[in-house]
Amino acid sequence: MMRSILLRLGTAAFVSIFASTVLAQNSSTIIRSTVRGDPAAGKNLAKACDACHGDQGMSPIDGFPNLAGQNFNYLVKQLREMRTAAKARAENVTQAARATGAFGQRNQRSNETMDAVVVELVDVNIINLAAYYAGLKCTTQSNNAPEPPKIETRCQICHGKAGISRNRNIPNIAGQNKIYMTLQLQSYREAAKTPSGSAADGRSAPIMETQAASLAAIDALSDYYSRLSCAK
């Protein structure tokens, strides 16, 4: 009975149901605060970020993300997760401790390049940084985007039809750096192969691991979304 229902619903509906379940199970990781931070204070803090992410949030370096116009809630969540990972490394948490959960919850992000930047950030600074970048204008214009890969229809459920998500906890991916997106999808695919699901040196999120585990069109997807306009 259940199988026939799922067959009628189709892949897209199933992924949507799964996504809702995952978000519910990880509700503690979702940013629901009505606080929006101080963009002016965030701008001052962001001077330390300009070299990698650009003085207007558009990265001049391939492999680094554009932050301009990104969803506020998403930015707060990523900075908090990277701070947790940085503190764990600074305290020499062992791989065994990470695998047993001492490293943090499964939906985790870790980036050693960011360690020195985020390890001492307090929440008010994270919120102000997120407010600043979320308020900037993303300037990537449509650049002869190719026909979307067939797999792209699965991405629309969370990331929107044109790569602009209606869920503030999920990133916009339109106009994002191609190499950066490729690296993230590869990281999720690697996380799917890790039994513990920990992300000691990358990214881990159940729904993205499920999508990336057998994904053969990573380069095509990254190329497609990188060429879309990020204007909201």
Side-chain angles (χ1 to χ4, degrees):
M1 177 67 175
M2 180 57 70
R3 184 168 176 229
S4 64
I5 291 173
L6 289 175
L7 286 173
R8 287 198 298 272
L9 284 171
T11 301
F14 174 74
V15 173
S16 181
I17 292 169
F18 181 63
S20 299
T21 303
V22 170
L23 287 174
Q25 290 174 342
N26 292 282
S27 58
S28 63
T29 71
I30 305 301
I31 312 302
R32 301 187 186 280
S33 173
T34 57
V35 176
R36 282 294 171 262
D38 180 352
K43 183 177 182 178
N44 287 330
L45 291 166
K47 291 176 182 177
C49 313
D50 287 356
C52 295
H53 297 289
D55 61 1
Q56 292 297 311
M58 301 298 293
S59 179
I61 306 173
D62 273 341
F64 286 75
N66 299 324
L67 303 180
Q70 189 55 270
N71 286 327
F72 171 85
N73 289 18
Y74 171 77
L75 289 172
V76 171
K77 182 173 180 290
Q78 300 311 300
L79 286 169
R80 284 177 173 171
E81 290 186 351
M82 284 189 279
R83 180 181 62 186
T84 297
K87 287 184 176 181
R89 255 191 294 274
E91 295 166 3
N92 295 316
V93 177
T94 65
Q95 184 64 40
R98 292 172 184 169
T100 57
F103 182 69
Q105 54 199 349
R106 191 180 196 286
N107 193 11
Q108 184 62 259
R109 185 169 187 174
S110 173
N111 185 316
E112 289 194 50
T113 302
M114 288 289 294
D115 279 7
V117 179
V118 299
V119 69
E120 298 297 335
L121 281 181
V122 295
D123 271 356
V124 67
N125 288 343
I126 285 176
I127 289 168
N128 289 341
L129 276 168
Y132 170 65
Y133 282 116
L136 293 178
K137 184 177 181 180
C138 180
T139 57
T140 303
Q141 300 299 316
S142 182
N143 182 22
N144 298 318
E147 286 296 311
K150 290 183 179 180
I151 192 95
E152 184 266 346
T153 56
R154 284 160 50 182
C155 309
Q156 292 182 19
I157 297 165
C158 295
H159 295 285
K161 189 172 182 180
I164 304 296
S165 178
R166 290 178 293 178
N167 186 326
R168 290 177 298 178
N169 298 297
I170 295 174
N172 300 321
I173 54 177
Q176 188 54 271
N177 182 276
K178 176 185 174 180
I179 295 176
Y180 170 76
M181 283 194 288
T182 297
L183 291 171
Q184 302 315 297
L185 288 170
Q186 289 173 344
S187 184
Y188 284 126
R189 187 166 62 185
E190 288 305 306
K193 301 175 184 177
T194 306
S196 67
S198 65
D201 297 297
R203 301 190 71 165
S204 178
I207 193 166
M208 283 302 301
E209 290 169 37
T210 300
Q211 297 303 309
S214 58
L215 187 60
I218 285 179
D219 189 68
L221 267 179
S222 300
D223 183 54
Y224 170 71
Y225 279 113
S226 73
R227 295 207 221 170
L228 294 182
S229 171
C230 54
K232 297 181 182 179

